[in-house]
Each structure stands twice: as structure tokens, then as C-alpha cells.
Amino acid sequence: MRRKFIFFLFFYLSFIAVCFSQGSDYYSDAASDQEHPNLILTKEGVKQIRAHLGSIPLFDETLEKVKAEIDAEISQGIDTPVPEDYSGGYTHERHKRNFLVIQKAGVLYQILNDEKYAKYVKDMLMQYEALYKTLPQHPKTRSYARGKLFWQCLNDANWLVYVSQAYDCVYNYLSEEERYKLESNLFRPFADYISIGNPQFFNRVHNHSTWGNAAVGMIGLVMNDDDLIHRALYGIKNINLDKTAKDDDGGFINKDGKAGFLANIEEPFSPDGYYTEGPYYQRYAMYPFLIFAQSLQNKKPELEIFNYKNGVLLKAVQTLLNLTDADGEFFPLNDAQKGMSYYSRELVTAVDIAYHNSDDAAGFLSIAKEQGQVLLDDSGFSVALSIKKGKEKPYQKTSINLTDGPKGDQGGVAILRQGDLELVFKYTAQGSSHGHYDKLSFSLFEKGDEIIQDYGLARFVNIEQKGGGNYLKENSSWAKQSIAHNTVIQNEISHFNADYEKGSKHHSDLHYFYVENDNVKVVSAKEINAYPETEMLRTMAILNGEDYEKPFMLDIMKINSTSANQYDLPFYYFGQILQTSFEYKTPEILKPLGNENGYQHLYLEASAKRDADYSKFSWFNNNTFYILTIVTNSNDEFLFTRIGANDPEFNLRRDPALILRRKNCTNTTFVSAIESHGSYSPVSESAWNSKSNIKNLKVVLDTEDYTGISITNVKGNTTFFITANTNAAKDATHNITINDIGYKWTGPYYYK
């Protein structure tokens, strides 16, 4: 009897110990009875998908490709190497490949009901369970938050977001003992390490912490662990982080004390769905935002997560699509790798989930059709079924003004679209640690090709030979500096002196945005903090005219300062110089243009003095002709530059720029126009319309209240564009006289 009592007492205490060690609801009735899958793929979704297999083309095509991919992986066996590399190295890329593969294998098990996929997932998870409990911190020490599988917690969080989905798919395939082993030795320690073990990573507002929040929350949802779910939504409580601490990119870690998934929805997104870090990082963050949101919608619908902050997550997908050029590539604002597009896996996820949760989103279907694949889950099934039924409509990109900041009052980004031209005008807040010092900068596109470029980032993403695939030092010394952008630089000093803390306190302000007229699209914004006692007002327009082959761009940059300064205005063009209206001299030896603030990376290839009231610079690219016409003053200089100085490892692209330099000025106004015109056929070797349509560009009025520009074309016809510099209200009435001619209009500008 005593032996029986001791046995049962031991069993009872062991059971209690397990329960307490795993959380209060571990193996509770709710946990043991829950149905799986229930994150992204649901039991009802599996039922519907299986019933329609072979009858929905886009879904079936995606399934076939994924099956072939995973079958090939299974045949190669599983490798979970001891971590040792930065991005791009074998161990990094192998573990990254593993989390992508295991998620797909889990989905295949549910859809095809083939045990080989479940066994593959189980075997890989068990290998990770055996590996993870032996791992110290990653041997690479560069990150402010070192991971274990990867060199930074960010990638560890990536792993857990995807693996959570795989675990959900095989949950009921595994025995209770196997689940206990995985959760005790892998999932719960993993979630604790990237959160409690690294609060500087987890407890902040940043794309890094969004991944961390989603990772902890999703594994919590699978395990039915309310503690993990609460931690994911609201952050770690009672953690005091150094408010002055910064991450590897120089951004504050937790200056305002805000943390958790909900805070990461509230703070970085404006009411328009613009993400303050820029479209490249918005694309990256949309995966955890939407995949976790869909999981919450499925398991905790009472949160109404897709209605949070007036439905901003779904708005953000629309915004991202509008932040792409004609080829679907994201405009490279702030730190951004060129070529990233809505064909990425993150945007496949975003489009499918957004459509699945939206009432009126037929335009998403046309994007999904272009993407040529869908998610193998409930949302992808919805998209593929709707495409089969012919519900898609063309996605319409429009001229749009997107506010920045949690309340939409910290500047923004405007996109003017007219014909094949797209003008991107940036007047945002700093953009967190991935922001650049480029107030009132612009870039110009035609049919998806860059006419005037934004450099983007200085990084070879996941290419081990270049700095371990991480950000290069040239990202700070060049790409973030003001001279790397198409905006005005004063005295060779970057905006805010390239000081992140100072830049983060300020933003530019919209003066006006007006796109109601089919022939005129205009945006105007002001910056008063980039330089002490200097104000900049930039007004940019895309204009249509009967005598012009295509729409053209007009740029007016008005500067008021209390002191005399040197101003540089660069134009980073692509292509071959054809002709200039001025003579220039080339040096025998190339030397850097300056010593710091990005100028040390520019070679001076030629220089010229202005020789007329306006100057012309023409170039040729992609079989199209382009001409820059600039109003010039008597002391103006032109500098032909090329990126690449002080770059011994060839980390920078050797791109050219023309810089207009104006010295010893207090108040001044830069006025220019860019035309795209004509074409060249290398087959017939014939050029058509290779000359400028603008004969003269002139400032006819420039006061505190108004700036007026006359544009005379080669036919002798003159049009006038007048912008209101102070009162730009839509209902404001203006009545002025220029050269004895009266001009009267209502609204912020006049064009006729």
C-alpha cells in the first residue's frame, strides 16, 4: 500500500512539475482538443482545397511546383549544420532554406495527405531539437542581438515564423510525447531566447521586433500558450531598456518605451498605410504583419485584428502596390535594394491575405495573376478560385500622396503619374534607422526605367563575399548622405549634418498636392530644419502640353537663408551624354570632389561655367532621348561627377551625375525641366525627334508669395506656370501682374 502511495505521489508531482514548467494551460483540455491546422491553413480550408484539387488552375500549378521542389529536397536528405556564417554563408543559407522548405512540406502533408511530408517535417524538427539545446550564441558578434541559429535574432525570428506553420500542420501527426519534447527543448526556449533573452530586439518598434512578435505569437497560438501570445501582442512587461541605446544601424532601440505587435501596427504605419522605413522594408515586414494577423483572425477573431487602427494592415497592401513602378519594382526610398518587387514571396502572401479579408479588392486578383502563384492555404485558394471565376479587374495605380507618421502628420511621399512618367517626391520623416538624409528629394521613372535615380542602399544582400551580406560602411559614408540624392546640399554638409538623433526630431511639411487636372499633376513641400536658418520649398510638376510629344517634369526649388552659402543640386542620370549647351573641361587626373559627407566618393570628371540664362544637357538611354533644361545664374558651375572615389573594394556603382553648383547666395531659386522624347532604332539606325521641345525656360516672377515660370517651345508658343509660395489653399483666389499682364486664378497654381 505504501509503495502504491509513493508511486502515485511521484507520478502526481511529476505531472504537476511538467504543467508548471510548461505554463498553466499546457495539455489542458483546450490544448489537447484543439484542431490543427488552425493558423494560416485551417481544417475547413483543407477540406475545400482537397475537394477542388485538379479544377483550379493557378492553385494546381502552384501545388505542382511546390511538390516538385519539396520532393527534390526530401531526396537530398536533411542538413542542420552547426551555425558559423554571416548572411550568404553555407550554414546561414542552409538554415534559411530549411525554414522555407519545412513550411511547404507541412502544407503538402495537409493538402495531399501523404505521410512522407509529415515524416520529413518531424525528422527535421527533431534534428533541430537535438541541435538547439546544445547551441550557445552565434559565433559572429556583429549584431546588437545575436541569435543562435543565425548571426542575429532577426533571422532566428524568421525561422520560427515559418516553422510555427509547419508545426501546426503536423501537430496531430506527432505523438503527445514528441510534442512535449519539441515544445520543452525547442519551441519554448527558442521563443524565450528571442524575447526575454533579447529584450533589446523584441521590445521595440521596428521591422526586427515585428518579426520577433510574430514568431513568439504564432508558436504561442499553435501551443495554445496565452503567456506567449500576450507577450507577442503587448511586449515584455517591466523591462527597462536604455532609452539612448542604438542598434547596428544607429537607430534608437526603445526610446519611447513602446513594444509589442499592436504597437508595431500603431507607430510605423501612417493612416494611409505608409511604413516609415520605406517600401523596401515595408515589403519585408508585411509578411510577419499579415501572416500573424491571419493567424489571430483564425484563432482569436474577437481581436478583429484586420480592423485595428482603421484597417491599416489591409490599406498597407494597397499602399505598397502604389509604391511600385510600371514593372512592379518598389521605389528605392531609404535603405532599399533595387529590383525588389511585388513578385517577392512577401507580396504573394500580402496580396492573397489582403484579398481574402477584403470586401472589394478585385484589383488584387490581377496582381496575383501576374505573380503566377498563390499561397497553398485558405487565402490562396480564395484568390485562385476567384481568378478562375473571372472576377479580376485591372489594378489601377494613380497619382497619390501618402502621409508619414502614426497620425499622418510627419510629411510623406507623393507619386505623380502622367502618361508613362512617374515622379516620386520624398518629404518624409527620418524613417527610423533605415532612413536617409534626403529631404525634398525626387526620382523619375519612365515605363519602369529610372531616368533620374535614387541610389538605394550600399549592400550586397546575402552575398557572403561582400561584408558577409550585411550593410557596408559605404552605406553610411555614401548612400545615406544628402549628396547621394537629387536634392539641394548646402556647403557640402548633409541634411541635419547626417545626425540621426537630430533628423529624427523633424520632418518636411506638405505645401500642397493637386492632381485633379488631367494636364497638371503638382506636389509642393517645405523643409525648414535640415539647415539652420535656411528654408527650402520645392514644387514639382508633371505637365502636359499640346505642342509636346510627352508629358515633362518641371522643378522649382526655392531657398531662403539668412547667410550666404554654396548650394549643390545633383541629377543622377543614367546613359550616355549626347550634348551640352556649354563648354566643359576635363582634368588629366581624377580627384575626389570633397573630403567628407559623401563628397569623398565622387570623382570630378569635368567642369564648366554657365554661359547663358539657361543651359541644356542631353543624354541617351534605353533608345530614348532625355534633356535637362536649367535656368542658370551668372556664377553657376556645372560639375560632371561619377561615384567611385575612395572605394578600394569597389562596393559602389560607378554611376554618373551632373551637379549644378551655385556659390555665395542667400536667397535663390533653382528651376529646371526634364523632357523624355524621341526614340532610336538600332536596327534601322534611325533617330526620331532627338531634339528638345523647349526653346526657352525663364523665371518671370520670384517673390515671397509667388514664383512664375515661362516655358517657350520650339514653335514659339509660351505657357506659364505660377505657384503660390504662401497661400496654397484650394479655394484661395490669386490676382497678380507679370510684365503688365494680369493673371487671376483660384487654387495653389496657375498653368496655361
Side-chain angles (χ1 to χ4, degrees), residues 18 33 172 269 374:
V18 167
D33 293 342
N172 295 124
F269 285 107
V374 292

Coordinates of all heavy atoms in Angstrom, one line a residue, residues 18 33 172 269 374:
V18 N 5.6 19.2 -14.6 CA 5.5 19.4 -16.1 C 4.6 20.5 -16.4 O 4.9 21.4 -17.2 CB 5.1 18.1 -16.8 CG1 4.7 18.4 -18.3 CG2 6.2 17.0 -16.7
D33 N -7.6 19.3 -27.1 CA -8.7 19.1 -28.0 C -8.7 20.1 -29.2 O -9.5 19.9 -30.1 CB -10.0 19.4 -27.2 CG -10.3 18.3 -26.2 OD1 -9.6 17.2 -26.3 OD2 -11.1 18.5 -25.3
N172 N -1.1 17.1 -35.1 CA -1.8 15.9 -34.8 C -1.2 14.6 -35.3 O -1.5 13.5 -34.9 CB -3.2 16.0 -35.3 CG -4.0 17.1 -34.6 OD1 -4.6 18.0 -35.3 ND2 -4.1 17.1 -33.3
F269 N 3.2 52.8 -39.1 CA 2.2 53.0 -40.2 C 1.5 54.3 -40.1 O 1.0 54.6 -39.0 CB 1.2 51.9 -40.3 CG 1.7 50.5 -40.8 CD1 1.9 49.5 -39.9 CD2 1.9 50.4 -42.1 CE1 2.3 48.3 -40.4 CE2 2.4 49.2 -42.6 CZ 2.6 48.1 -41.8
V374 N 0.1 31.3 -55.9 CA -0.7 31.7 -54.7 C -0.2 30.9 -53.5 O 0.6 29.9 -53.7 CB -2.2 31.4 -54.9 CG1 -2.8 32.3 -56.0 CG2 -2.4 29.9 -55.3

